[in-house]
């Protein structure tokens, strides 16, 4: 089954304790992205990746890191979490047609990770 | 900068009645427009998208949306609502180039009453 998976689904942690949220897709998508969802704000992009070893900042990158060492995986790293990073996090992926700046491909989302930082 | 507005926090309709969830957008360039639905404790599920061509787009579960360039709107519609349509609906826009970030509206909760 084609899907985007995230782990863990739920996490409660304390301020300053490093954590990683994993994201994996089995659709051979080039493009992957992380979003956070907060009430009344919709989803906002944190980081994205166009391909292996190619990552860049989204709208709200502060306090987050990412890596893209393999095509299927795109982990989100919080080196020193703070309470304002309490949120619902979504990973998404899509194709990105090679050789073209245009892409009509739909982004598919994982089930979400609910993070609470105390 | 691109933005999306969903002016209604909640829409209530009776089962069997038509429903409309409103969305307006602002973007400089050619917009790609999307609707996603989120059920409780679930991720976002893709419903439909407008890229180019026919202004009326048909999607999953009987939903459709009409792209109106002059009004910069992309309202979601369904002729006959079901109780199972009750969920949170998000409109999103992105450009056809660049970092392809989806900009989402704040969401509209659809409540369909039996």
């Amino acid at each position: 089954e084609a899907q985007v998976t995230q782990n863990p689904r739920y996490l409660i942690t304390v301020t300053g304790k490093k954590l990683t949220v994993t994201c994996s897709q089995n659709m051979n998508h080039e493009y992957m992205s992380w979003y956070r969802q907060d009430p009344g704000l919709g989803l906002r992009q944190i980081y994205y990746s166009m391909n292996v070893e190619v990552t860049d900042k989204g709208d709200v990158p502060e306090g987050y890191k990412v890596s893209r060492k393999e095509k299927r995986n795109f982990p989100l790293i919080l080196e020193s979490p703070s309470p304002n990073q309490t949120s619902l996090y979504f990973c998404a992926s899509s194709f990105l047609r090679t050789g073209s700046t245009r892409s009509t491909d739909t982004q598919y989302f994982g089930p979400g990770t609910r993070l609470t930082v105390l | 900068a691109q933005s999306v507005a969903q002016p209604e926090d909640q829409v209530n309709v009776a089962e069997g009645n038509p429903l409309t969830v409103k969305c307006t957008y602002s973007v400089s360039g050619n917009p790609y427009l999307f609707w996603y639905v989120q059920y409780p404790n679930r991720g976002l599920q893709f419903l439909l998208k407008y890229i180019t061509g026919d202004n009326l787009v048909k999607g999953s579960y009987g939903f459709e949306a009409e792209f109106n360039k002059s009004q910069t709107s992309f309202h979601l519609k369904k002729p006959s609502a079901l109780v199972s349509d009750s969920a949170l609906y998000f409109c999103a826009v992105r450009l056809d180039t660049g970092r392809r970030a989806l900009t989402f509206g704040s969401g509209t909760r659809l409540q369909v009453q039996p």
Side-chain angles (χ1 to χ4, degrees):
Chain A
E1 180 189 352
Q3 59 183 350
V4 180
T5 57
Q6 295 178 226
N7 282 292
R9 293 289 312 279
Y10 302 90
L11 180 60
I12 300 174
T13 189
V14 296
T15 299
K17 186 176 181 181
K18 181 180 178 180
L19 66 92
T20 299
V21 183
T22 64
C23 172
S24 184
Q25 49 92 7
N26 62 0
M27 296 170 277
N28 202 33
H29 286 165
E30 296 88 3
Y31 182 90
M32 297 186 76
S33 179
W34 276 102
Y35 295 86
R36 61 178 286 174
Q37 182 183 13
D38 301 291
L41 296 177
L43 282 80
R44 294 175 292 168
Q45 190 184 52
I46 304 170
Y47 268 94
Y48 68 100
S49 170
M50 296 283 200
N51 216 323
V52 175
E53 302 292 2
V54 181
T55 65
D56 209 345
K57 297 176 181 178
D59 296 313
V60 287
E62 295 77 20
Y64 304 95
K65 284 175 55 177
V66 292
S67 70
R68 188 91 182 271
K69 293 184 170 56
E70 305 164 284
K71 195 172 186 179
R72 63 184 292 126
N73 295 324
F74 189 45
L76 179 70
I77 303 155
L78 285 72
E79 295 270 4
S80 183
S82 62
N84 65 11
Q85 292 178 298
T86 293
S87 187
L88 182 57
Y89 291 86
F90 289 102
C91 182
S93 72
S94 75
F95 286 114
L96 187 66
R97 293 185 185 142
T98 305
S100 170
T101 58
R102 293 176 176 269
S103 171
T104 64
D105 294 300
T106 302
Q107 289 182 31
Y108 293 95
F109 285 77
T113 295
R114 187 167 292 282
L115 173 65
T116 302
V117 183
L118 302 174
Chain B
Q2 55 202 47
S3 65
V4 175
Q6 293 182 242
E8 302 153 317
D9 289 335
Q10 181 154 326
V11 170
N12 298 307
V13 298
E15 187 173 30
N17 282 1
L19 69 88
T20 298
V21 182
K22 295 180 180 177
C23 170
T24 59
Y25 68 91
S26 173
V27 67
S28 32
N30 293 321
Y32 292 167
L33 294 153
F34 300 80
W35 276 101
Y36 285 85
V37 59
Q38 185 178 28
Y39 297 99
N41 300 314
R42 301 285 297 275
L44 279 80
Q45 296 180 32
F46 168 72
L47 274 180
L48 51 80
K49 66 182 177 184
Y50 172 82
I51 303 300
T52 187
D54 194 348
N55 289 343
L56 185 64
V57 179
K58 294 189 184 298
S60 307
Y61 313 121
F63 284 93
E64 57 189 29
E66 186 167 13
F67 172 64
N68 187 318
K69 188 173 183 178
S70 63
Q71 297 186 3
T72 61
S73 67
F74 189 55
H75 300 330
L76 181 70
K77 300 182 180 184
K78 187 173 182 181
S80 179
L82 299 172
V83 173
S84 57
D85 293 331
S86 299
L88 188 57
Y89 290 80
F90 289 96
C91 181
V93 66
R94 71 167 176 84
L95 292 174
D96 59 354
T97 58
R99 60 182 170 95
R100 295 165 175 82
L102 286 167
T103 296
F104 285 84
S106 55
T108 298
R109 186 163 300 281
L110 173 66
Q111 195 70 40
V112 181
Q113 284 117 10

